[in-house]
Amino acid sequence: MRAIGALLMILAASAPLAGTASPESIVSEKGEVRFTARYEGQPLDGVFRRFRVEMPVEPATGEPGGLRVVIATGSADMNDADVNQELRTTIFFDADRFPDAVFTSDTISRAPDGTYSAAGAIEVKGATYPLSVPFRLRDTGGARELTGEVSVSRLAWRIGLGEWAQTDLIADEVVVRFRVEFTGASP
């Protein structure tokens, strides 16, 4: 059930190389950040309703120079009011004290197959953890779409404490999937 955050998600901005133009950032709050936890072996899906993604891009090439993703932990929605309220407590996201999970990266690498990887860190509940997030970036005619998925350990991030720390009820692994649309951002 522990959505984990989302976490996903992502990233900050990289410094430009000497003699190159400074990256320009594109920003989006459009798309979705979804997660799947397993409760007693069955998948439970959820979504973060509020997030913001900033992606610096090199003006000449349109290549990403970093990512920064801010996810409102209190916006976790598993389609059940009681579960949603529980996700906001100190046992899970502690959303009153830590309203955002933030992933930042200034190291973006591109594989020969065109996929990217953002190496960085995520801050959840006041602690910072390393995280590498694979993603794809494609032009969709007047927009750019960033998609991907990453598996995370909810227990490593202190999500689901006390009785919920037992993995026989809620599995440790949570899969976070994201799709972000940057309108008017084709290179």
Side-chain angles (χ1 to χ4, degrees):
M1 280 193 191
R2 288 354 56 139
I4 251 31
L7 316 152
L8 299 234
M9 304 213 201
I10 317 186
L11 317 56
S14 69
L17 300 173
T20 64
S22 296
E24 298 174 1
S25 290
I26 55 177
V27 178
S28 180
E29 296 176 359
K30 294 172 66 174
E32 59 187 10
V33 176
R34 299 192 158 279
F35 56 89
T36 301
R38 297 192 78 73
Y39 181 77
E40 294 184 335
Q42 298 301 308
L44 287 177
D45 296 323
V47 63
F48 288 98
R49 298 284 180 201
R50 291 187 319 276
F51 65 91
R52 184 174 195 272
V53 178
E54 180 179 352
M55 183 174 68
V57 294
E58 293 298 327
T61 64
E63 286 294 300
L67 283 171
R68 177 176 168 81
V69 177
V70 179
I71 296 172
T73 59
S75 74
D77 183 353
M78 295 189 82
N79 204 30
D80 181 295
D82 291 335
V83 171
N84 293 350
Q85 187 58 41
E86 184 73 12
L87 289 174
R88 293 173 179 85
T89 68
T90 58
I91 293 170
F92 291 100
F93 288 111
D94 200 358
D96 287 340
R97 287 184 45 207
F98 305 103
D100 297 322
V102 181
F103 181 75
T104 57
S105 172
D106 61 3
T107 305
I108 306 289
S109 58
R110 186 173 186 177
D113 68 357
T115 60
Y116 294 87
S117 181
I122 187 163
E123 184 177 341
V124 179
K125 292 177 77 171
T128 302
Y129 308 94
L131 183 63
S132 182
V133 178
F135 66 95
R136 292 190 174 278
L137 189 61
R138 69 182 187 102
D139 295 325
T140 60
R144 296 187 89 182
E145 184 179 67
L146 179 137
T147 59
E149 93 174 35
V150 64
S151 294
V152 297
S153 164
R154 69 177 179 86
L155 294 175
W157 296 354
R158 301 180 353 247
I159 306 292
L161 304 175
E163 67 181 297
W164 299 111
Q166 301 302 315
T167 58
D168 55 334
L169 284 178
I170 303 172
D172 182 35
E173 179 187 47
V174 176
V175 177
V176 180
R177 293 174 188 84
F178 51 92
R179 181 186 57 77
V180 180
E181 182 180 327
F182 297 97
T183 55
S186 289

